Amino acid sequence: MLTTLVRASVLVAIAAMLTVPVAAQEGHPLAGTWYGDYTTGKQPTDITVIMKWDGKSVTGLINPGPNSKPLTSVVMDITPGKAAGQGQESTAGVPPVFKVRFEVDGMTFEGTIKNPVAGNRELIGTWKRGTQTGTFHIRRV
């Protein structure tokens, strides 16, 4: 009876250790569905962006459905951060900066990812089409 209880406890502990790393993995910082808006003047327009990582490049589309448009270019530049010095609090370090640029249907969106390794990622920046410009703010859902 005792060995069965010990064996069951060990199996539960092993199962718990195996599931934690899988749940913590988020994948590529851009992969997923992003939802938010972009503004023209003071008028916000809803936007949905779906991005996929195939191991080499990011592809995707904007506003899925019958009027969707493919992303024609996606680029992400990462400026490495700097770890806090030994004995310093972790807030003394400098986090990495994730700059993103994607193009779709004549529009160019450029921004920075906030919380790049968290589930509540946001991409905030500006967009441009010809002489029109504005801001955008999308969140990964």
Side-chain angles (χ1 to χ4, degrees):
M1 173 94 166
L2 183 59
T3 58
T4 304
L5 182 59
V6 170
R7 193 177 309 171
S9 297
V10 169
L11 289 174
V12 168
I14 290 171
M17 288 188 301
L18 292 175
T19 58
V20 171
V22 172
Q25 295 177 359
E26 288 285 334
H28 193 278
L30 292 177
T33 300
W34 298 75
Y35 178 76
D37 58 51
Y38 67 96
T39 59
T40 306
K42 293 186 183 233
Q43 179 63 38
T45 302
D46 288 343
I47 184 173
T48 300
V49 181
I50 298 174
M51 292 190 248
K52 296 179 183 178
W53 170 248
D54 67 6
K56 295 179 184 176
S57 61
V58 177
T59 59
L61 58 95
I62 194 167
N63 294 331
N67 297 321
S68 67
K69 304 284 184 191
L71 300 178
T72 54
S73 172
V74 180
V75 177
M76 182 173 65
D77 291 319
I78 303 171
T79 303
K82 182 179 176 186
Q86 187 172 355
Q88 294 181 332
E89 292 186 31
S90 63
T91 56
V94 177
V97 177
F98 290 70
K99 294 282 188 182
V100 177
R101 175 187 168 116
F102 63 92
E103 297 175 12
V104 60
D105 196 31
M107 295 177 79
T108 301
F109 292 82
E110 293 187 64
T112 303
I113 299 179
K114 304 294 181 195
N115 304 318
V117 295
N120 62 340
R121 290 175 202 155
E122 298 177 294
L123 181 52
I124 302 169
T126 58
W127 66 269
K128 181 178 179 181
R129 179 189 292 185
T131 59
Q132 289 184 309
T133 62
T135 61
F136 77 96
H137 183 178
I138 56 178
R139 292 167 208 78
R140 197 174 107 190
V141 249

